[in-house]
Amino acid sequence: MPEAPVQSGGVATLEYEAVPAVERDEARGPLGTVVMKFGGTSVAGPERLKEVARRLVSAREAGNRVVGVLSAMGESTDDLIALAHQVSSRPVARELDMLISVGERISCALAAMAIHDLGHEAISLTGSQAGIVTDTVHGKAKIVEVRARRIHEALDDDRIVLVAGFQGVSTAYDVTTLGRGGSDTTAVALAAALGAESCEIYTDVEGVFTADPRIVPSARKLHAVSYDEMLELAASGAKVLQLRAVEFARNHHVRLHVRSTFSDAAGTWIREEDERMLEKAIISGVTHTYEELVYRVRGVRPAPLFADLAEAGVNVDTIVQTGDEIVFSAPADDGTQTAAALERLGVDWSARDDLGKVSVVGAGMKSHPGVAARAFAALDDAGIDTEIVSTSPIKIACHVRRDDVERAVATLHEAFELDAPEAERAHA
Ligand code: ADP
Ligand code: ASP
Ligand code: MG
């Protein structure tokens, strides 16, 4: 792809879409319902699945009504997608959803078997059987309704209910999937619909960290993060929670506990903002993503451009307009639709795939000046150039060269002293 010069300056927009209303079935007395979600690494093999079954059984034996939401085993969603591409260069979206929804069903059926062996009743349900109704957008469907009757009946029958994550049934009766990482959203939607006491997201790290612990080994586990901060963290690349899951949690007041499958340590609570969260640390974390392309477009006004991109289902992130040039970023996964929309418009356009985005997020930024100055000074000292800068009230995001991303994350993490114990907000 041709390289395009990209300018600094401008303001990003980050629009959170409304999520559907959920009817809580409080008449059934859902006291003590817990939703426990386990990610791919947590169910990666038979032994891990058996361990997950034991965790679910312990929660049941402690007196809870237990709903488990499971992801596909290990990398199996990636494997299924790769398989589809071996058979077809452009897999039909409906059939791709039929295929990749299978991984979560496998995990749930196996976990149900393991739970039976532990002497408890369990039932596995597909997203459709669990009453998760979505719109008709294959590959990134949105939940429009949760009809939880079947889950309630199974819980009333004293069973542990296992729901296949990441999927639902559309209003046109087709199987849909909720986008990568979508099992998080299944779990939160069910927690909201069931009026659950808690929604626990079990994963392969101990919580939400001040940066991806795989890149910054000195990153600290955050004790508590507000919904707004977590929205920005998730939107800007902290893939530990799917963005839509956080939106759902915020809109339905579901408190989330992100924690490790492999230990009993307390993890990170995602909940309403609390002044104590901001007392010690202005910044909650530094995130990064490589999964965006940056487009430069000329010869079109913003209104028709973004109308067309929206129509094509492209999730535009940063937008910068300077004179008759518009620069925007969009997910690499939406690359085909974006290119098709730009071709349809007949505009002069180019795209860059050699940039990554590094963001500094923190609710304390609203009331503390000088955060931008400190970030840019640190990047400057490290010899890292920023290509596009965008902000929200609680975020500063910089596109930098891909090769500089990891160094930029480490530099900003150090500049805001996020490896200090105070960064954890352990008092909250
Ligand atoms: P799961 O399969 O359990 O859903 P994911 O792979 O989706 O797990 O998310 C967990 C991963 O998110 C971690 O292994 C970690 O590398 C990555 N990650 C990125 N940023 C962060 C962060 N700020 N805090 C914690 N984990 C992060
Ligand atoms: N298995 C799906 C994925 O890999 C959904 C999930 O794990 O949340 O994206
Ligand atoms: Mg995930």
Side-chain angles (χ1 to χ4, degrees), residues 135-158:
D135 65 14
T136 55
V137 184
H138 287 289
K140 50 178 170 186
K142 290 178 201 139
I143 297 175
V144 295
E145 199 184 336
V146 180
R147 299 181 188 153
R149 193 175 54 88
R150 185 142 185 212
I151 298 181
H152 275 300
E153 283 171 6
L155 291 171
D156 290 345
D157 281 350
D158 219 12

mmCIF file with all atom_site columns, all heavy atoms in Angstrom, residues 135-158:
data_model
loop_
_atom_site.group_PDB
_atom_site.id
_atom_site.type_symbol
_atom_site.label_atom_id
_atom_site.label_alt_id
_atom_site.label_comp_id
_atom_site.label_asym_id
_atom_site.label_entity_id
_atom_site.label_seq_id
_atom_site.pdbx_PDB_ins_code
_atom_site.Cartn_x
_atom_site.Cartn_y
_atom_site.Cartn_z
_atom_site.occupancy
_atom_site.B_iso_or_equiv
_atom_site.pdbx_formal_charge
_atom_site.auth_seq_id
_atom_site.auth_comp_id
_atom_site.auth_asym_id
_atom_site.auth_atom_id
_atom_site.pdbx_PDB_model_num
ATOM 1   N N   . ASP A 1 135 ? -28.791 -8.760  16.613 1.00 0.00 ? 135 ASP A N   1
ATOM 2   C CA  . ASP A 1 135 ? -29.148 -8.230  15.295 1.00 0.00 ? 135 ASP A CA  1
ATOM 3   C C   . ASP A 1 135 ? -28.569 -9.170  14.234 1.00 0.00 ? 135 ASP A C   1
ATOM 4   O O   . ASP A 1 135 ? -28.047 -10.243 14.571 1.00 0.00 ? 135 ASP A O   1
ATOM 5   C CB  . ASP A 1 135 ? -28.682 -6.768  15.137 1.00 0.00 ? 135 ASP A CB  1
ATOM 6   C CG  . ASP A 1 135 ? -27.167 -6.613  15.164 1.00 0.00 ? 135 ASP A CG  1
ATOM 7   O OD1 . ASP A 1 135 ? -26.453 -7.630  15.031 1.00 0.00 ? 135 ASP A OD1 1
ATOM 8   O OD2 . ASP A 1 135 ? -26.682 -5.477  15.326 1.00 0.00 ? 135 ASP A OD2 1
ATOM 9   N N   . THR A 1 136 ? -28.640 -8.778  12.968 1.00 0.00 ? 136 THR A N   1
ATOM 10  C CA  . THR A 1 136 ? -28.313 -9.725  11.894 1.00 0.00 ? 136 THR A CA  1
ATOM 11  C C   . THR A 1 136 ? -26.911 -9.508  11.320 1.00 0.00 ? 136 THR A C   1
ATOM 12  O O   . THR A 1 136 ? -26.596 -10.029 10.258 1.00 0.00 ? 136 THR A O   1
ATOM 13  C CB  . THR A 1 136 ? -29.346 -9.602  10.757 1.00 0.00 ? 136 THR A CB  1
ATOM 14  O OG1 . THR A 1 136 ? -29.374 -8.228  10.345 1.00 0.00 ? 136 THR A OG1 1
ATOM 15  C CG2 . THR A 1 136 ? -30.734 -10.014 11.212 1.00 0.00 ? 136 THR A CG2 1
ATOM 16  N N   . VAL A 1 137 ? -26.066 -8.735  12.017 1.00 0.00 ? 137 VAL A N   1
ATOM 17  C CA  . VAL A 1 137 ? -24.731 -8.434  11.480 1.00 0.00 ? 137 VAL A CA  1
ATOM 18  C C   . VAL A 1 137 ? -23.762 -9.572  11.812 1.00 0.00 ? 137 VAL A C   1
ATOM 19  O O   . VAL A 1 137 ? -23.265 -9.674  12.935 1.00 0.00 ? 137 VAL A O   1
ATOM 20  C CB  . VAL A 1 137 ? -24.195 -7.101  12.057 1.00 0.00 ? 137 VAL A CB  1
ATOM 21  C CG1 . VAL A 1 137 ? -22.851 -6.760  11.418 1.00 0.00 ? 137 VAL A CG1 1
ATOM 22  C CG2 . VAL A 1 137 ? -25.191 -5.985  11.826 1.00 0.00 ? 137 VAL A CG2 1
ATOM 23  N N   . HIS A 1 138 ? -23.502 -10.429 10.831 1.00 0.00 ? 138 HIS A N   1
ATOM 24  C CA  . HIS A 1 138 ? -22.610 -11.566 11.083 1.00 0.00 ? 138 HIS A CA  1
ATOM 25  C C   . HIS A 1 138 ? -21.193 -11.090 11.394 1.00 0.00 ? 138 HIS A C   1
ATOM 26  O O   . HIS A 1 138 ? -20.715 -10.125 10.833 1.00 0.00 ? 138 HIS A O   1
ATOM 27  C CB  . HIS A 1 138 ? -22.598 -12.494 9.867  1.00 0.00 ? 138 HIS A CB  1
ATOM 28  C CG  . HIS A 1 138 ? -23.864 -13.281 9.745  1.00 0.00 ? 138 HIS A CG  1
ATOM 29  N ND1 . HIS A 1 138 ? -24.181 -14.295 10.621 1.00 0.00 ? 138 HIS A ND1 1
ATOM 30  C CD2 . HIS A 1 138 ? -24.911 -13.171 8.899  1.00 0.00 ? 138 HIS A CD2 1
ATOM 31  C CE1 . HIS A 1 138 ? -25.358 -14.801 10.302 1.00 0.00 ? 138 HIS A CE1 1
ATOM 32  N NE2 . HIS A 1 138 ? -25.837 -14.127 9.258  1.00 0.00 ? 138 HIS A NE2 1
ATOM 33  N N   . GLY A 1 139 ? -20.555 -11.774 12.343 1.00 0.00 ? 139 GLY A N   1
ATOM 34  C CA  . GLY A 1 139 ? -19.161 -11.461 12.678 1.00 0.00 ? 139 GLY A CA  1
ATOM 35  C C   . GLY A 1 139 ? -19.011 -10.427 13.770 1.00 0.00 ? 139 GLY A C   1
ATOM 36  O O   . GLY A 1 139 ? -18.014 -10.416 14.474 1.00 0.00 ? 139 GLY A O   1
ATOM 37  N N   . LYS A 1 140 ? -19.973 -9.532  13.915 1.00 0.00 ? 140 LYS A N   1
ATOM 38  C CA  . LYS A 1 140 ? -19.932 -8.593  15.054 1.00 0.00 ? 140 LYS A CA  1
ATOM 39  C C   . LYS A 1 140 ? -21.352 -8.193  15.440 1.00 0.00 ? 140 LYS A C   1
ATOM 40  O O   . LYS A 1 140 ? -21.702 -7.014  15.492 1.00 0.00 ? 140 LYS A O   1
ATOM 41  C CB  . LYS A 1 140 ? -19.036 -7.390  14.786 1.00 0.00 ? 140 LYS A CB  1
ATOM 42  C CG  . LYS A 1 140 ? -19.258 -6.663  13.497 1.00 0.00 ? 140 LYS A CG  1
ATOM 43  C CD  . LYS A 1 140 ? -18.311 -5.463  13.415 1.00 0.00 ? 140 LYS A CD  1
ATOM 44  C CE  . LYS A 1 140 ? -18.360 -4.865  12.017 1.00 0.00 ? 140 LYS A CE  1
ATOM 45  N NZ  . LYS A 1 140 ? -17.404 -3.802  11.799 1.00 0.00 ? 140 LYS A NZ  1
ATOM 46  N N   . ALA A 1 141 ? -22.150 -9.208  15.689 1.00 0.00 ? 141 ALA A N   1
ATOM 47  C CA  . ALA A 1 141 ? -23.556 -8.963  16.027 1.00 0.00 ? 141 ALA A CA  1
ATOM 48  C C   . ALA A 1 141 ? -23.666 -8.315  17.397 1.00 0.00 ? 141 ALA A C   1
ATOM 49  O O   . ALA A 1 141 ? -22.826 -8.526  18.274 1.00 0.00 ? 141 ALA A O   1
ATOM 50  C CB  . ALA A 1 141 ? -24.316 -10.275 15.995 1.00 0.00 ? 141 ALA A CB  1
ATOM 51  N N   . LYS A 1 142 ? -24.721 -7.532  17.567 1.00 0.00 ? 142 LYS A N   1
ATOM 52  C CA  . LYS A 1 142 ? -24.997 -6.920  18.869 1.00 0.00 ? 142 LYS A CA  1
ATOM 53  C C   . LYS A 1 142 ? -26.176 -7.621  19.512 1.00 0.00 ? 142 LYS A C   1
ATOM 54  O O   . LYS A 1 142 ? -27.169 -7.927  18.831 1.00 0.00 ? 142 LYS A O   1
ATOM 55  C CB  . LYS A 1 142 ? -25.365 -5.451  18.688 1.00 0.00 ? 142 LYS A CB  1
ATOM 56  C CG  . LYS A 1 142 ? -24.199 -4.620  18.273 1.00 0.00 ? 142 LYS A CG  1
ATOM 57  C CD  . LYS A 1 142 ? -24.644 -3.182  18.051 1.00 0.00 ? 142 LYS A CD  1
ATOM 58  C CE  . LYS A 1 142 ? -23.645 -2.474  17.167 1.00 0.00 ? 142 LYS A CE  1
ATOM 59  N NZ  . LYS A 1 142 ? -24.288 -1.609  16.179 1.00 0.00 ? 142 LYS A NZ  1
ATOM 60  N N   . ILE A 1 143 ? -26.087 -7.813  20.808 1.00 0.00 ? 143 ILE A N   1
ATOM 61  C CA  . ILE A 1 143 ? -27.197 -8.438  21.532 1.00 0.00 ? 143 ILE A CA  1
ATOM 62  C C   . ILE A 1 143 ? -28.346 -7.432  21.618 1.00 0.00 ? 143 ILE A C   1
ATOM 63  O O   . ILE A 1 143 ? -28.140 -6.290  22.014 1.00 0.00 ? 143 ILE A O   1
ATOM 64  C CB  . ILE A 1 143 ? -26.743 -8.869  22.941 1.00 0.00 ? 143 ILE A CB  1
ATOM 65  C CG1 . ILE A 1 143 ? -25.637 -9.923  22.818 1.00 0.00 ? 143 ILE A CG1 1
ATOM 66  C CG2 . ILE A 1 143 ? -27.930 -9.396  23.760 1.00 0.00 ? 143 ILE A CG2 1
ATOM 67  C CD1 . ILE A 1 143 ? -25.019 -10.348 24.128 1.00 0.00 ? 143 ILE A CD1 1
ATOM 68  N N   . VAL A 1 144 ? -29.543 -7.856  21.200 1.00 0.00 ? 144 VAL A N   1
ATOM 69  C CA  . VAL A 1 144 ? -30.694 -6.948  21.306 1.00 0.00 ? 144 VAL A CA  1
ATOM 70  C C   . VAL A 1 144 ? -31.630 -7.364  22.434 1.00 0.00 ? 144 VAL A C   1
ATOM 71  O O   . VAL A 1 144 ? -32.430 -6.569  22.910 1.00 0.00 ? 144 VAL A O   1
ATOM 72  C CB  . VAL A 1 144 ? -31.476 -6.834  19.971 1.00 0.00 ? 144 VAL A CB  1
ATOM 73  C CG1 . VAL A 1 144 ? -30.616 -6.180  18.905 1.00 0.00 ? 144 VAL A CG1 1
ATOM 74  C CG2 . VAL A 1 144 ? -31.981 -8.179  19.480 1.00 0.00 ? 144 VAL A CG2 1
ATOM 75  N N   . GLU A 1 145 ? -31.532 -8.608  22.857 1.00 0.00 ? 145 GLU A N   1
ATOM 76  C CA  . GLU A 1 145 ? -32.438 -9.079  23.902 1.00 0.00 ? 145 GLU A CA  1
ATOM 77  C C   . GLU A 1 145 ? -31.867 -10.349 24.525 1.00 0.00 ? 145 GLU A C   1
ATOM 78  O O   . GLU A 1 145 ? -31.170 -11.111 23.853 1.00 0.00 ? 145 GLU A O   1
ATOM 79  C CB  . GLU A 1 145 ? -33.785 -9.411  23.250 1.00 0.00 ? 145 GLU A CB  1
ATOM 80  C CG  . GLU A 1 145 ? -34.941 -9.485  24.213 1.00 0.00 ? 145 GLU A CG  1
ATOM 81  C CD  . GLU A 1 145 ? -36.226 -9.907  23.486 1.00 0.00 ? 145 GLU A CD  1
ATOM 82  O OE1 . GLU A 1 145 ? -36.338 -9.702  22.262 1.00 0.00 ? 145 GLU A OE1 1
ATOM 83  O OE2 . GLU A 1 145 ? -37.092 -10.455 24.163 1.00 0.00 ? 145 GLU A OE2 1
ATOM 84  N N   . VAL A 1 146 ? -32.147 -10.560 25.800 1.00 0.00 ? 146 VAL A N   1
ATOM 85  C CA  . VAL A 1 146 ? -31.769 -11.820 26.436 1.00 0.00 ? 146 VAL A CA  1
ATOM 86  C C   . VAL A 1 146 ? -33.046 -12.440 26.998 1.00 0.00 ? 146 VAL A C   1
ATOM 87  O O   . VAL A 1 146 ? -33.707 -11.838 27.840 1.00 0.00 ? 146 VAL A O   1
ATOM 88  C CB  . VAL A 1 146 ? -30.745 -11.603 27.571 1.00 0.00 ? 146 VAL A CB  1
ATOM 89  C CG1 . VAL A 1 146 ? -30.377 -12.932 28.222 1.00 0.00 ? 146 VAL A CG1 1
ATOM 90  C CG2 . VAL A 1 146 ? -29.490 -10.905 27.050 1.00 0.00 ? 146 VAL A CG2 1
ATOM 91  N N   . ARG A 1 147 ? -33.413 -13.614 26.497 1.00 0.00 ? 147 ARG A N   1
ATOM 92  C CA  . ARG A 1 147 ? -34.616 -14.304 26.997 1.00 0.00 ? 147 ARG A CA  1
ATOM 93  C C   . ARG A 1 147 ? -34.142 -15.453 27.879 1.00 0.00 ? 147 ARG A C   1
ATOM 94  O O   . ARG A 1 147 ? -33.838 -16.551 27.393 1.00 0.00 ? 147 ARG A O   1
ATOM 95  C CB  . ARG A 1 147 ? -35.433 -14.862 25.826 1.00 0.00 ? 147 ARG A CB  1
ATOM 96  C CG  . ARG A 1 147 ? -35.916 -13.772 24.888 1.00 0.00 ? 147 ARG A CG  1
ATOM 97  C CD  . ARG A 1 147 ? -36.748 -14.336 23.764 1.00 0.00 ? 147 ARG A CD  1
ATOM 98  N NE  . ARG A 1 147 ? -37.036 -13.311 22.785 1.00 0.00 ? 147 ARG A NE  1
ATOM 99  C CZ  . ARG A 1 147 ? -37.276 -13.543 21.500 1.00 0.00 ? 147 ARG A CZ  1
ATOM 100 N NH1 . ARG A 1 147 ? -37.274 -14.786 21.040 1.00 0.00 ? 147 ARG A NH1 1
ATOM 101 N NH2 . ARG A 1 147 ? -37.534 -12.552 20.680 1.00 0.00 ? 147 ARG A NH2 1
ATOM 102 N N   . ALA A 1 148 ? -34.076 -15.165 29.173 1.00 0.00 ? 148 ALA A N   1
ATOM 103 C CA  . ALA A 1 148 ? -33.344 -16.052 30.071 1.00 0.00 ? 148 ALA A CA  1
ATOM 104 C C   . ALA A 1 148 ? -34.192 -17.175 30.680 1.00 0.00 ? 148 ALA A C   1
ATOM 105 O O   . ALA A 1 148 ? -33.742 -17.857 31.598 1.00 0.00 ? 148 ALA A O   1
ATOM 106 C CB  . ALA A 1 148 ? -32.686 -15.219 31.175 1.00 0.00 ? 148 ALA A CB  1
ATOM 107 N N   . ARG A 1 149 ? -35.397 -17.409 30.142 1.00 0.00 ? 149 ARG A N   1
ATOM 108 C CA  . ARG A 1 149 ? -36.314 -18.364 30.782 1.00 0.00 ? 149 ARG A CA  1
ATOM 109 C C   . ARG A 1 149 ? -35.687 -19.757 30.929 1.00 0.00 ? 149 ARG A C   1
ATOM 110 O O   . ARG A 1 149 ? -35.737 -20.373 31.984 1.00 0.00 ? 149 ARG A O   1
ATOM 111 C CB  . ARG A 1 149 ? -37.602 -18.452 29.954 1.00 0.00 ? 149 ARG A CB  1
ATOM 112 C CG  . ARG A 1 149 ? -38.747 -19.154 30.674 1.00 0.00 ? 149 ARG A CG  1
ATOM 113 C CD  . ARG A 1 149 ? -40.007 -19.084 29.842 1.00 0.00 ? 149 ARG A CD  1
ATOM 114 N NE  . ARG A 1 149 ? -39.789 -19.603 28.497 1.00 0.00 ? 149 ARG A NE  1
ATOM 115 C CZ  . ARG A 1 149 ? -39.929 -20.880 28.150 1.00 0.00 ? 149 ARG A CZ  1
ATOM 116 N NH1 . ARG A 1 149 ? -40.338 -21.754 29.031 1.00 0.00 ? 149 ARG A NH1 1
ATOM 117 N NH2 . ARG A 1 149 ? -39.681 -21.284 26.919 1.00 0.00 ? 149 ARG A NH2 1
ATOM 118 N N   . ARG A 1 150 ? -35.047 -20.220 29.853 1.00 0.00 ? 150 ARG A N   1
ATOM 119 C CA  . ARG A 1 150 ? -34.500 -21.578 29.898 1.00 0.00 ? 150 ARG A CA  1
ATOM 120 C C   . ARG A 1 150 ? -33.374 -21.699 30.939 1.00 0.00 ? 150 ARG A C   1
ATOM 121 O O   . ARG A 1 150 ? -33.247 -22.712 31.628 1.00 0.00 ? 150 ARG A O   1
ATOM 122 C CB  . ARG A 1 150 ? -33.984 -21.953 28.500 1.00 0.00 ? 150 ARG A CB  1
ATOM 123 C CG  . ARG A 1 150 ? -33.525 -23.356 28.432 1.00 0.00 ? 150 ARG A CG  1
ATOM 124 C CD  . ARG A 1 150 ? -33.860 -24.025 27.141 1.00 0.00 ? 150 ARG A CD  1
ATOM 125 N NE  . ARG A 1 150 ? -33.472 -25.421 27.243 1.00 0.00 ? 150 ARG A NE  1
ATOM 126 C CZ  . ARG A 1 150 ? -33.045 -26.145 26.228 1.00 0.00 ? 150 ARG A CZ  1
ATOM 127 N NH1 . ARG A 1 150 ? -32.970 -25.620 25.029 1.00 0.00 ? 150 ARG A NH1 1
ATOM 128 N NH2 . ARG A 1 150 ? -32.712 -27.401 26.410 1.00 0.00 ? 150 ARG A NH2 1
ATOM 129 N N   . ILE A 1 151 ? -32.588 -20.649 31.038 1.00 0.00 ? 151 ILE A N   1
ATOM 130 C CA  . ILE A 1 151 ? -31.508 -20.664 32.045 1.00 0.00 ? 151 ILE A CA  1
ATOM 131 C C   . ILE A 1 151 ? -32.122 -20.714 33.443 1.00 0.00 ? 151 ILE A C   1
ATOM 132 O O   . ILE A 1 151 ? -31.706 -21.507 34.298 1.00 0.00 ? 151 ILE A O   1
ATOM 133 C CB  . ILE A 1 151 ? -30.604 -19.415 31.919 1.00 0.00 ? 151 ILE A CB  1
ATOM 134 C CG1 . ILE A 1 151 ? -29.921 -19.399 30.550 1.00 0.00 ? 151 ILE A CG1 1
ATOM 135 C CG2 . ILE A 1 151 ? -29.574 -19.371 33.037 1.00 0.00 ? 151 ILE A CG2 1
ATOM 136 C CD1 . ILE A 1 151 ? -28.980 -18.220 30.342 1.00 0.00 ? 151 ILE A CD1 1
ATOM 137 N N   . HIS A 1 152 ? -33.150 -19.890 33.667 1.00 0.00 ? 152 HIS A N   1
ATOM 138 C CA  . HIS A 1 152 ? -33.804 -19.888 34.981 1.00 0.00 ? 152 HIS A CA  1
ATOM 139 C C   . HIS A 1 152 ? -34.360 -21.264 35.319 1.00 0.00 ? 152 HIS A C   1
ATOM 140 O O   . HIS A 1 152 ? -34.227 -21.736 36.457 1.00 0.00 ? 152 HIS A O   1
ATOM 141 C CB  . HIS A 1 152 ? -34.943 -18.861 35.002 1.00 0.00 ? 152 HIS A CB  1
ATOM 142 C CG  . HIS A 1 152 ? -34.468 -17.483 35.323 1.00 0.00 ? 152 HIS A CG  1
ATOM 143 N ND1 . HIS A 1 152 ? -33.838 -17.168 36.496 1.00 0.00 ? 152 HIS A ND1 1
ATOM 144 C CD2 . HIS A 1 152 ? -34.540 -16.335 34.613 1.00 0.00 ? 152 HIS A CD2 1
ATOM 145 C CE1 . HIS A 1 152 ? -33.532 -15.877 36.502 1.00 0.00 ? 152 HIS A CE1 1
ATOM 146 N NE2 . HIS A 1 152 ? -33.945 -15.358 35.362 1.00 0.00 ? 152 HIS A NE2 1
ATOM 147 N N   . GLU A 1 153 ? -34.992 -21.884 34.331 1.00 0.00 ? 153 GLU A N   1
ATOM 148 C CA  . GLU A 1 153 ? -35.582 -23.203 34.604 1.00 0.00 ? 153 GLU A CA  1
ATOM 149 C C   . GLU A 1 153 ? -34.501 -24.203 35.005 1.00 0.00 ? 153 GLU A C   1
ATOM 150 O O   . GLU A 1 153 ? -34.672 -24.975 35.955 1.00 0.00 ? 153 GLU A O   1
ATOM 151 C CB  . GLU A 1 153 ? -36.349 -23.701 33.372 1.00 0.00 ? 153 GLU A CB  1
ATOM 152 C CG  . GLU A 1 153 ? -37.697 -23.009 33.250 1.00 0.00 ? 153 GLU A CG  1
ATOM 153 C CD  . GLU A 1 153 ? -38.396 -23.314 31.928 1.00 0.00 ? 153 GLU A CD  1
ATOM 154 O OE1 . GLU A 1 153 ? -37.883 -24.155 31.152 1.00 0.00 ? 153 GLU A OE1 1
ATOM 155 O OE2 . GLU A 1 153 ? -39.435 -22.686 31.682 1.00 0.00 ? 153 GLU A OE2 1
ATOM 156 N N   . ALA A 1 154 ? -33.388 -24.165 34.282 1.00 0.00 ? 154 ALA A N   1
ATOM 157 C CA  . ALA A 1 154 ? -32.304 -25.101 34.596 1.00 0.00 ? 154 ALA A CA  1
ATOM 158 C C   . ALA A 1 154 ? -31.719 -24.803 35.976 1.00 0.00 ? 154 ALA A C   1
ATOM 159 O O   . ALA A 1 154 ? -31.418 -25.718 36.753 1.00 0.00 ? 154 ALA A O   1
ATOM 160 C CB  . ALA A 1 154 ? -31.221 -25.013 33.521 1.00 0.00 ? 154 ALA A CB  1
ATOM 161 N N   . LEU A 1 155 ? -31.594 -23.512 36.309 1.00 0.00 ? 155 LEU A N   1
ATOM 162 C CA  . LEU A 1 155 ? -31.070 -23.151 37.638 1.00 0.00 ? 155 LEU A CA  1
ATOM 163 C C   . LEU A 1 155 ? -32.055 -23.589 38.720 1.00 0.00 ? 155 LEU A C   1
ATOM 164 O O   . LEU A 1 155 ? -31.650 -24.111 39.768 1.00 0.00 ? 155 LEU A O   1
ATOM 165 C CB  . LEU A 1 155 ? -30.821 -21.638 37.734 1.00 0.00 ? 155 LEU A CB  1
ATOM 166 C CG  . LEU A 1 155 ? -29.667 -21.081 36.886 1.00 0.00 ? 155 LEU A CG  1
ATOM 167 C CD1 . LEU A 1 155 ? -29.683 -19.548 36.908 1.00 0.00 ? 155 LEU A CD1 1
ATOM 168 C CD2 . LEU A 1 155 ? -28.311 -21.600 37.372 1.00 0.00 ? 155 LEU A CD2 1
ATOM 169 N N   . ASP A 1 156 ? -33.355 -23.410 38.435 1.00 0.00 ? 156 ASP A N   1
ATOM 170 C CA  . ASP A 1 156 ? -34.384 -23.845 39.399 1.00 0.00 ? 156 ASP A CA  1
ATOM 171 C C   . ASP A 1 156 ? -34.320 -25.357 39.614 1.00 0.00 ? 156 ASP A C   1
ATOM 172 O O   . ASP A 1 156 ? -34.660 -25.859 40.687 1.00 0.00 ? 156 ASP A O   1
ATOM 173 C CB  . ASP A 1 156 ? -35.788 -23.454 38.901 1.00 0.00 ? 156 ASP A CB  1
ATOM 174 C CG  . ASP A 1 156 ? -36.012 -21.940 38.955 1.00 0.00 ? 156 ASP A CG  1
ATOM 175 O OD1 . ASP A 1 156 ? -35.215 -21.250 39.622 1.00 0.00 ? 156 ASP A OD1 1
ATOM 176 O OD2 . ASP A 1 156 ? -36.970 -21.447 38.320 1.00 0.00 ? 156 ASP A OD2 1
ATOM 177 N N   . ASP A 1 157 ? -33.895 -26.084 38.566 1.00 0.00 ? 157 ASP A N   1
ATOM 178 C CA  . ASP A 1 157 ? -33.756 -27.543 38.662 1.00 0.00 ? 157 ASP A CA  1
ATOM 179 C C   . ASP A 1 157 ? -32.440 -27.951 39.310 1.00 0.00 ? 157 ASP A C   1
ATOM 180 O O   . ASP A 1 157 ? -32.025 -29.113 39.230 1.00 0.00 ? 157 ASP A O   1
ATOM 181 C CB  . ASP A 1 157 ? -33.785 -28.175 37.260 1.00 0.00 ? 157 ASP A CB  1
ATOM 182 C CG  . ASP A 1 157 ? -35.189 -28.291 36.739 1.00 0.00 ? 157 ASP A CG  1
ATOM 183 O OD1 . ASP A 1 157 ? -36.123 -28.071 37.526 1.00 0.00 ? 157 ASP A OD1 1
ATOM 184 O OD2 . ASP A 1 157 ? -35.335 -28.580 35.531 1.00 0.00 ? 157 ASP A OD2 1
ATOM 185 N N   . ASP A 1 158 ? -31.726 -26.954 39.843 1.00 0.00 ? 158 ASP A N   1
ATOM 186 C CA  . ASP A 1 158 ? -30.501 -27.229 40.565 1.00 0.00 ? 158 ASP A CA  1
ATOM 187 C C   . ASP A 1 158 ? -29.342 -27.644 39.670 1.00 0.00 ? 158 ASP A C   1
ATOM 188 O O   . ASP A 1 158 ? -28.463 -28.415 40.075 1.00 0.00 ? 158 ASP A O   1
ATOM 189 C CB  . ASP A 1 158 ? -30.776 -28.343 41.587 1.00 0.00 ? 158 ASP A CB  1
ATOM 190 C CG  . ASP A 1 158 ? -30.052 -28.059 42.875 1.00 0.00 ? 158 ASP A CG  1
ATOM 191 O OD1 . ASP A 1 158 ? -29.558 -26.930 43.016 1.00 0.00 ? 158 ASP A OD1 1
ATOM 192 O OD2 . ASP A 1 158 ? -29.971 -28.975 43.723 1.00 0.00 ? 158 ASP A OD2 1
#
